[in-house]
Amino acid sequence: MDSTGLTASPLPHSAPPAMPRLAGDLAIWIFILAELLAFGVFFAAYAFTRANNIELFNAEQAALNRNAGALNTVLLLTASYFVVRAVQAAELRASQSCARWLLAATACGAGFLVVKSFEYAAAFEHDISLSSSPFHMFYLSLTFFHFMHVILGMVILTAMWNGARTGRYGPDDMNGLESGAAYWHMVDLVWLVLFPLVYVIH
Amino acid sequence: MHSNVHGTARRATLLWASLMVATLLTWGMGVLGATGTGAIAILAAISFWKGAVIILDFMALRHAPLLWRALTLGWIIMVWALIAIAYWKGLAR
């Protein structure tokens, strides 16, 4: 961080940033935009298909477990909060604290997958499949597309946890951590539209 | 040295708590069975606000060049605009 030997910087780390800066690698942000575009097209397709099948969509949506959807919103948002705390810890050179926050975030992600798996199990018990109705086609494909993103997010969080434990991240090396964090927040951001759209709006 | 764009722990915790309250509101609208244009407007507003917290604070784009805020916030606005148009199209049928 300080190759000049001027270690007595008058500015603490919490000083307001002087220069605009994109947190994370440019490549991950291009990837995030592509992901948002894909989910956006998916959301629009759901909304316009629903417009032509309102009674069907309303009836089948009523059978969804809205409580499970809300619980999963809480888990994803909490995981995102933990990731923010991990990044903040790394800025303070607190590697072990950073690792613990990342582990907590991964646990929330695992909780999301467990809740969603119970939802899928209940759906399959009722013979719900991709071909059973337009609503179920969207419900299963949209949520499973997102489910796979959560899994990838957890792989990234685990890799970052491993890096944090060995002291890889600090104020002079934030790029990897910030890039992974941005991906995780994207997974959360998408769910913040998916939950009201698929589980609540009728 | 780069600039620290990640804010304070206290602010992050307060934002998390407010996101929890917002989630409770969305869930409550579902429990109440709220429907119609007003309900959609409220759900969209809550979703936009939550998304803005994620984008501006958690993703730290508040401190990024304007282009990145425009692209990401513009994404939520575009998505909810399409959802609203589709909803009204459905009401008109």
Side-chain angles (χ1 to χ4, degrees), chain B residues 42-54:
Chain B
I42 293 170
L43 287 168
I46 294 173
S47 171
F48 175 78
W49 181 80
K50 290 166 88 173
V53 169
I54 297 292

Side-chain angles (χ1 to χ4, degrees), chain A residues 99-139:
Chain A
R100 280 194 296 273
W101 285 116
L102 288 171
L103 197 60
T106 312
C108 285
F112 177 96
L113 296 182
V114 169
V115 171
K116 207 89 204 70
S117 297
F118 275 105
E119 264 189 82
Y120 286 144
F124 296 146
E125 263 179 35
H126 290 91
D127 290 328
I128 286 169
S129 70
L130 284 171
S131 56
S132 55
S133 81
F135 176 79
H136 290 141
M137 190 276 286
F138 273 110
Y139 164 70

Side-chain angles (χ1 to χ4, degrees), chain A residues 19-188:
Chain A
M19 292 281 287
R21 180 172 79 82
L22 184 64
D25 208 90
L26 181 63
I28 195 77
W29 281 102
I30 301 292
F31 183 61
I32 285 171
L33 290 182
E35 295 276 26
L36 289 178
L37 202 58
F39 273 103
V41 169
F42 224 151
F43 291 151
Y46 172 96
F48 282 94
T49 308
R50 179 191 174 278
N52 293 319
N53 302 270
I54 289 182
E55 292 78 14
L56 173 90
F57 271 59
N58 283 349
E60 293 186 336
Q61 180 198 59
L64 291 186
N65 188 341
R66 196 190 310 112
N67 297 342
L71 174 61
N72 266 346
T73 310
V74 168
L75 285 168
L76 282 189
L77 285 170
T78 304
S80 262
Y81 165 70
F82 289 161
V83 168
V84 170
R85 295 298 300 263
V87 171
Q88 290 176 339
E91 284 278 13
L92 299 171
R93 298 183 186 284
S95 292
Q96 296 314 308
S97 172
C98 172
R100 280 194 296 273
W101 285 116
L102 288 171
L103 197 60
T106 312
C108 285
F112 177 96
L113 296 182
V114 169
V115 171
K116 207 89 204 70
S117 297
F118 275 105
E119 264 189 82
Y120 286 144
F124 296 146
E125 263 179 35
H126 290 91
D127 290 328
I128 286 169
S129 70
L130 284 171
S131 56
S132 55
S133 81
F135 176 79
H136 290 141
M137 190 276 286
F138 273 110
Y139 164 70
L140 289 175
S141 57
L142 196 45
T143 59
F144 192 70
F145 188 49
H146 180 266
F147 189 90
M148 290 191 296
H149 284 77
V150 176
I151 292 175
L152 177 55
M154 286 176 63
V155 170
I156 292 170
L157 289 181
T158 306
M160 296 197 305
W161 167 72
N162 199 39
R165 280 195 312 157
T166 55
R168 185 171 148 197
Y169 308 114
D172 45 353
D173 186 5
M174 290 294 288
N175 197 50
L177 185 64
E178 287 179 337
S179 301
Y183 180 86
W184 181 266
H185 295 315
M186 180 275 292
V187 172
D188 191 7

